[in-house]
Amino acid sequence: MTPDTAPVREVAGGVDTYQDTHTAAVIDGVGRVLGTEQFPATPAGYAALLAWMRAFGQLSRVGVEGTGVYGAGLTRLLQAEHIAVIQIDRPDRKARRFQGTSDPIDAIAAAKAALAGDRTGTPKQGAHSKRWKSNGSRPDLQVLAFHGSC
């Protein structure tokens, strides 16, 4: 079988998000880790992360920890690219204490949880966009400030 006719394998991704960096992992359909990598939490970093994940195969879904906060920009890009985004809960403290933790371990856990459907939710469309305005203010705080000045 030549590379042109070889079947494309389906892969899933996971991302552990932080303010400055995102750590990503890619696994195959049976959960084998294909790679982990860290990217800057910037629009260019999100694009590089997506290109890196796609290099492993057909990206079916990505589990993201923190879709509404540090992962909001990445979530918007993935949704715009028509990739299923699965909101992953942070591992509970007991599991983290007994298993240990690191950014790659958390990213792999997010990928496996997305693949298995564990601890998941669906991020709101346009994650983070309704909570904060483009000027950085929260609409509900504006209302409180307005009414408080009367």
Side-chain angles (χ1 to χ4, degrees), residues 11 14 43 59 74 97 106 133 150:
V11 298
L59 186 60
L74 175 63
R97 184 172 51 247
D106 289 349
K133 290 189 170 188
C150 294

Side-chain angles (χ1 to χ4, degrees), residues 32-131:
R32 289 180 294 226
V33 178
L34 303 176
T36 61
E37 189 69 42
Q38 190 174 69
F39 298 88
T42 64
Y46 307 150
L49 184 153
L50 178 57
W52 176 80
M53 284 185 166
R54 284 181 164 164
F56 289 97
Q58 179 63 43
L59 186 60
S60 63
R61 64 178 69 183
V62 177
V64 179
E65 289 186 3
T67 58
V69 185
Y70 297 138
L74 175 63
T75 297
R76 282 191 297 272
L77 172 67
L78 295 171
Q79 289 174 333
E81 292 289 324
H82 306 289
I83 295 170
V85 179
I86 310 300
Q87 180 176 308
I88 305 298
D89 296 336
R90 300 268 180 203
D92 64 37
R93 290 179 188 206
K94 184 177 180 181
R96 291 171 67 97
R97 184 172 51 247
F98 288 118
Q99 296 172 359
T101 185
S102 71
D103 296 344
I105 289 171
D106 289 349
I108 292 165
K112 289 182 177 183
L115 185 64
D118 294 339
R119 301 181 321 190
T120 62
T122 303
K124 294 177 183 174
Q125 190 66 18
H128 195 63
S129 62
K130 290 185 173 63
R131 188 168 154 201

